[in-house]
Amino acid sequence: MPEQIVRLMDLQVLDRQLQELEQTLATIAGKVETLREQNASNQEELQRLTEEDQQAAAARKKAEKDLAEGEARIRNKRMRLNMVRTDKELQALTLEVESLKETNQRLETELLAMIESADPRAARIKELGELIAKGRAALAEGEKEIAAQVEELKTSIASKRRERDKVASEVQPNLLQRYNTLFTRRQGIAVALAKGGSCMGCRRLLPPQLFNEIQKHLQIHFCPNCQRILYFEEKPAEQES
Ligand SMILES: [Zn+2]
């Protein structure tokens, strides 16, 4: 088998192991990441509700003040009712009092709505506070739990990558580039076995002439269909029948 093919096959084994290690690392880190995201989202909601609560308290204070002022104004108008002399004045003042009463009633309804909506918000704020405290503890616990595993995986990945880079440096640059592209685009199989006249990468029949050439091991050939780098394995004699 051409020496370059042997290198590429080694490279493919290493790359697949590397991929697996990185996948494991991502999965482990992902568990903690989910906790972290949940915490951040709770924290965000808490901040939003707290601000809302502060604004609502200010609005409530203002409504209470307006209501008190309205009541004072009504009292004032009522006192003047006793002093009017003409029917016209009486009618005008009565209308004013009615209008002030309406305004106050509206303010009262608003105030009651504000008081009602404050309750579930306060409950959620309390709940969020507890959730965040629990979430932080779970995150710290999770981080502690995976720390050793992550460290170990990172070390394995680094050493595997060094090994991989060493093998890669022994492959011709053009071929390596082709291999790298294929490895990514062909789901981790860049080098495929040619067997029984077919490419085992894409399962298509190879032109007979090409299959013959591959078996001569004189140069590197590619599958005309999937572009994979092809190799041929001599069958051990005892398996031939
Ligand atoms: Zn193919």
Side-chain angles (χ1 to χ4, degrees):
M1 209 180 288
E3 176 261 345
Q4 286 286 293
I5 287 279
V6 177
R7 295 269 170 282
L8 284 175
M9 285 166 71
D10 288 346
L11 195 58
Q12 184 161 283
V13 169
L14 288 168
D15 273 336
R16 293 179 75 118
Q17 289 169 346
L18 204 51
Q19 219 172 30
E20 221 165 282
L21 286 169
E22 273 163 356
Q23 198 99 49
T24 311
L25 180 62
T27 309
I28 290 173
K31 284 181 196 154
V32 166
E33 194 48 42
T34 309
L35 280 175
R36 197 172 285 134
E37 275 166 21
Q38 186 59 53
N39 276 5
S41 138
N42 283 342
Q43 192 70 53
E44 227 167 85
E45 191 187 348
L46 178 65
Q47 185 163 356
R48 185 172 56 74
L49 287 182
T50 307
E51 275 167 25
E52 219 176 272
D53 204 50
Q54 283 164 355
Q55 282 166 4
R60 198 167 138 181
K61 225 173 172 176
K62 187 182 176 298
E64 277 165 349
K65 187 168 163 268
D66 290 350
L67 197 59
E69 278 172 10
E71 270 158 9
R73 235 176 266 139
I74 290 170
R75 275 198 303 277
N76 188 275
K77 300 274 179 199
R78 277 199 177 126
M79 282 201 308
R80 277 176 56 197
L81 272 174
N82 300 326
M83 298 183 271
V84 292
R85 296 199 179 99
T86 66
D87 280 352
K88 205 180 163 189
E89 264 183 295
L90 180 71
Q91 212 175 12
L93 257 178
T94 310
L95 273 175
E96 272 181 63
V97 170
E98 283 311 308
S99 153
L100 280 168
K101 272 165 127 181
E102 262 172 46
T103 306
N104 261 21
Q105 224 148 37
R106 188 175 47 76
L107 277 171
E108 242 174 55
T109 313
E110 279 175 17
L111 192 57
L112 284 174
M114 282 181 206
I115 292 167
E116 263 172 45
S117 68
D119 281 349
R121 190 171 44 228
R124 181 66 180 153
I125 286 174
K126 185 166 174 281
E127 186 185 21
L128 280 169
E130 286 161 6
L131 279 174
I132 289 166
K134 271 188 206 156
R136 278 194 185 133
L139 183 62
E141 182 68 26
E143 274 171 344
K144 210 173 100 187
E145 236 177 66
I146 67 161
Q149 259 177 301
V150 166
E151 208 43 54
E152 201 180 308
L153 274 167
K154 280 185 176 165
T155 310
S156 305
I157 288 170
S159 101
K160 188 70 71 184
R161 190 168 292 287
R162 275 194 300 276
E163 203 182 333
R164 187 250 177 228
D165 290 346
K166 189 178 170 295
V167 175
S169 72
E170 289 159 3
V171 178
Q172 294 156 9
N174 281 348
L175 193 58
L176 181 64
Q177 207 166 22
R178 184 174 187 127
Y179 164 87
N180 285 338
T181 308
L182 284 166
F183 187 85
T184 316
R185 297 177 55 122
R186 299 277 183 270
Q187 288 76 47
I189 303 174
V191 190
L193 176 66
K195 190 179 165 189
S198 294
C199 161
M200 291 292 108
C202 65
R203 305 262 159 190
R204 292 271 191 97
L205 266 177
L206 296 165
Q209 178 65 29
L210 176 63
F211 190 59
N212 284 339
E213 288 298 319
I214 294 165
Q215 294 177 61
K216 287 183 195 159
H217 286 161
L218 292 174
Q219 55 170 7
I220 290 167
H221 297 278
F222 309 102
C223 170
N225 178 51
C226 68
Q227 324 303 325
R228 285 188 175 92
I229 303 155
L230 293 168
Y231 70 95
F232 179 79
E233 255 176 0
E234 303 288 353
K235 276 188 197 164
E238 64 265 27
Q239 273 181 20
E240 241 159 345
S241 53

